[in-house]
């Protein structure tokens, strides 16, 4: 794999519209080189018989099924409310209508 030159990093920074100082360019040459090497290693390991995945472990939905169960009626739920209107809790308005 070819290594990145300082000019390559300067060109990439220009494409990304990032203004880098000389010291930052020198630092980024090494950092981008490490990133490219890591990506190359991953590409070597990837095989055609391994399907792409978003997570290394299978995901399982842990929510319960949505089933209707006995609950409070609207009147029972609103019995302790300081104010109600149209079978709903009534709260003070905090935003003005514009």
């Amino acid at each position: 794999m070819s290594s990145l030159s300082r000019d390559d990093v300067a060109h990439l920074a220009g494409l990304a519209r990032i203004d880098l100082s000389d010291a930052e360019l020198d630092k980024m040459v090494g950092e981008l080189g490490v990133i490219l090497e890591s990506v190359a290693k991953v590409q070597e390991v990837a095989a055609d018989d391994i399907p792409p995945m978003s997570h290394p472990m299978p995901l399982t939905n842990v929510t319960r099924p949505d089933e209707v169960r006995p609950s409070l009626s609207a009147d029972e739920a609103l019995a302790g409310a300081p104010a109600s209107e149209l079978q709903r809790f009534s709260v003070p308005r905090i935003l003005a209508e514009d």
Side-chain angles (χ1 to χ4, degrees):
M1 172 170 213
S2 64
S3 62
L4 284 175
S5 69
R6 193 172 186 279
D7 291 334
D8 294 332
V9 175
H11 179 69
L12 288 173
L15 292 174
R17 298 175 192 242
I18 299 172
D19 188 23
L20 297 176
S21 67
D22 290 338
E24 290 171 325
L25 282 173
D26 293 334
K27 181 179 177 184
M28 290 302 293
V29 168
E31 290 181 0
L32 287 175
V34 170
I35 292 170
L36 290 176
E37 288 172 13
S38 300
V39 170
K41 286 180 186 176
V42 170
Q43 288 176 338
E44 289 174 9
V45 174
D48 293 334
D49 59 337
I50 301 173
M53 59 183 155
S54 62
H55 296 82
M57 303 295 288
L59 296 179
T60 309
N61 190 350
V62 295
T63 59
R64 63 173 173 77
D66 193 14
E67 298 172 356
V68 177
R69 298 188 297 182
S71 60
L72 298 174
S73 68
D75 291 333
E76 291 170 329
L78 294 170
S84 63
E85 183 179 324
L86 301 172
Q87 292 191 334
R88 295 181 179 93
F89 292 99
S90 180
V91 296
R93 181 178 300 276
I94 60 169
L95 300 174
E97 290 185 33
D98 291 335

